[in-house]
Amino acid sequence: LLILQALQYMHSKRIVHMDIKPENLLWDPIEEHVLVTDFDMSVEMSDQPLPCHGTEGTKPKYLSFAP
């Protein structure tokens, strides 16, 4: 739930991360919230379509599909 809240907050600021994966999520046990890191691929939302980056460099354990 906290990860979804972090994404919702970013989207409310018109930011799309584009690279959400476990390595880019940090847990702060003192404040009890999720920190999102690595905004190198992030884009600001606009009326234009988002760029498609494909799956180059994506590790198979992060891909999902419905049979």
Side-chain angles (χ1 to χ4, degrees):
L1 180 63
L2 293 175
I3 296 168
L4 294 176
Q5 290 173 334
L7 293 174
Q8 183 178 28
Y9 176 77
M10 288 189 306
H11 292 171
S12 76
K13 300 297 181 186
R14 302 189 55 83
I15 298 169
V16 179
H17 190 277
M18 305 286 287
D19 193 24
I20 293 295
K21 58 186 174 189
E23 296 93 280
N24 293 339
L25 302 171
L26 303 175
W27 171 247
D28 181 345
I30 296 170
E31 297 293 327
E32 296 187 349
H33 62 242
V34 173
L35 302 170
V36 180
T37 64
D38 191 4
F39 284 81
D40 290 340
M41 293 179 61
S42 66
V43 294
E44 184 176 351
M45 283 191 261
S46 70
D47 295 331
Q48 302 299 317
L50 292 174
C52 179
H53 293 287
T55 57
E56 296 84 23
T58 302
K59 297 176 184 175
K61 65 183 178 181
Y62 299 118
L63 296 177
S64 64
F65 65 96

